[in-house]
Amino acid sequence: MKLTRKLVLAKAKASDLESVKKLNCWGCNLTDISIFAQMPNIEVLTLSVNSILSLSPLAGCLSLSELYLRRNMIPSLSELSHLRPLTRLRVLWLAENPCCGTDATQYRLTVLRCLPRLQKLDNQVVTDDEISLALMEGEEVTTPPGSIQNQHTTNGFQDAETENDPLNYNMEETNKIREELGMKPLSRDKFSSLSSPSTRESKTIKKSHALDAVLLLLKDLDEEELHVVHTATQNRLQMYTLDSERLTKTQQTQKTAEIQH
């Protein structure tokens, strides 16, 4: 069933789509929600218990803060890529969809990596520690096949010159991180021109550009987002410290064994 303008206005008791801020369409057997492309001011949306497959019509609902999608037919977590631009989204209920899979822990970490601004997921409060862990262990959510955002190739093959261009890599890394935080991508002219690396230097240059991407990103983050980065960085540093301590102990044990023999 297609959600129509007439049905939206009747449920919301409104005179026009742009004035609708809250809408409850629970259990309406909906399959087509394309109408939301015309509703940029919606703030709270209930679409639970329907047959929705795609979230692409919600990509322009930039005022959305609460979204309820429990018990639909969403096939893959890649559909969450359409929600990345929704920087005000704080509550998401996605449980009981095919995309949730059987590994509840990994599902939650992957959703939070894609949407790190969430404060509540599936009626459970999101903690800072969860966000930090999600940024490290959650799976990367890619744009669904066929999406305009995913068309970076020509006839399915990426241009070799573009692929090896460090400027392109730097830009892609920065925009990848910005996309995960729901921020707009930067244009190519924001970056300085760089020469193409040799195969031998590519790994070193990529690491350098990853750092550049992070530093560029920091300038645009607000206090809440910087707090998330700070917590994730602390946890990462603690992991390096523990690894270093384990390595030192192992080396000391080996030296002791050599002396004894």
Side-chain angles (χ1 to χ4, degrees):
M1 177 179 174
K2 181 176 182 178
L3 182 60
T4 63
R5 181 177 184 275
K6 182 179 180 179
L7 184 57
V8 169
L9 297 181
K11 282 185 169 292
K13 297 180 180 180
S15 58
D16 60 89
L17 295 176
E18 291 189 357
S19 66
V20 178
K21 294 186 177 182
K22 294 184 179 181
L23 184 65
N24 187 339
C25 291
W26 190 96
C28 292
N29 198 31
L30 298 176
T31 56
D32 185 339
I33 57 171
S34 56
I35 189 69
F36 289 112
Q38 304 174 47
M39 299 175 62
N41 299 320
I42 189 75
E43 296 177 2
V44 179
L45 181 57
T46 299
L47 293 171
S48 298
V49 194
N50 283 290
S51 300
I52 297 167
L53 292 169
S54 175
L55 302 180
S56 59
L58 303 177
C61 300
L62 302 182
S63 296
L64 197 60
S65 62
E66 297 183 26
L67 178 59
Y68 302 92
L69 292 164
R70 185 176 63 88
R71 291 182 59 185
N72 271 279
M73 299 298 292
I74 300 168
S76 168
L77 289 179
S78 63
E79 287 296 323
L80 294 179
S81 63
H82 298 300
L83 304 184
R84 281 175 174 154
L86 312 186
T87 58
R88 298 182 183 180
L89 187 63
R90 294 294 181 269
V91 177
L92 174 65
W93 199 330
L94 189 64
E96 299 179 68
N97 273 277
C99 63
C100 299
T102 56
D103 189 338
T105 299
Q106 191 60 43
Y107 149 74
R108 190 171 176 87
L109 291 176
T110 299
V111 173
L112 293 178
R113 175 177 175 175
C114 180
L115 304 170
R117 286 188 175 90
L118 288 180
Q119 296 176 354
K120 184 179 286 189
L121 173 60
D122 295 340
N123 205 34
Q124 183 178 343
V125 174
V126 175
T127 66
D128 289 341
D129 288 342
E130 272 191 299
I131 294 295
S132 300
L133 186 62
L135 293 176
M136 292 186 290
E137 297 187 9
E139 296 178 8
E140 181 181 354
V141 171
T142 57
T143 305
S147 171
I148 296 177
Q149 301 176 42
N150 203 39
Q151 295 175 0
H152 296 302
T153 59
T154 302
N155 295 327
F157 297 95
Q158 186 174 22
D159 182 75
E161 182 179 353
T162 302
E163 184 177 11
N164 293 324
D165 182 3
L167 175 56
N168 184 65
Y169 180 87
N170 192 9
M171 181 170 63
E172 285 185 354
E173 284 297 299
T174 301
N175 286 337
K176 178 180 174 182
I177 299 171
R178 293 174 69 91
E179 186 180 16
E180 289 185 358
L181 291 173
M183 301 171 68
K184 292 182 179 180
L186 294 176
S187 60
R188 189 179 177 87
D189 60 15
K190 295 287 185 181
F191 298 87
S192 302
S193 298
L194 297 169
S195 58
S196 297
S198 63
T199 303
R200 183 178 60 184
E201 298 172 333
S202 61
K203 290 185 178 180
T204 301
I205 291 178
K206 285 184 177 181
K207 286 184 178 180
S208 174
H209 290 161
L211 177 60
D212 290 341
V214 172
L215 294 177
L216 281 168
L217 177 64
L218 290 178
K219 298 178 182 179
D220 293 328
L221 298 182
D222 59 25
E223 183 178 356
E224 178 185 350
E225 294 160 346
L226 286 170
H227 179 66
V228 171
V229 173
H230 176 67
T231 303
T233 303
Q234 284 184 317
N235 290 344
R236 191 71 172 174
L237 286 172
Q238 287 176 359
M239 291 175 60
Y240 278 119
T241 301
L242 290 174
D243 289 342
S244 179
E245 290 176 351
R246 291 193 191 101
L247 179 60
T248 301
K249 288 180 180 179
T250 301
Q251 291 174 340
Q252 290 175 344
T253 301
Q254 290 175 343
K255 288 182 179 179
T256 300
E258 289 173 0
I259 293 173
Q260 290 176 347
H261 289 81

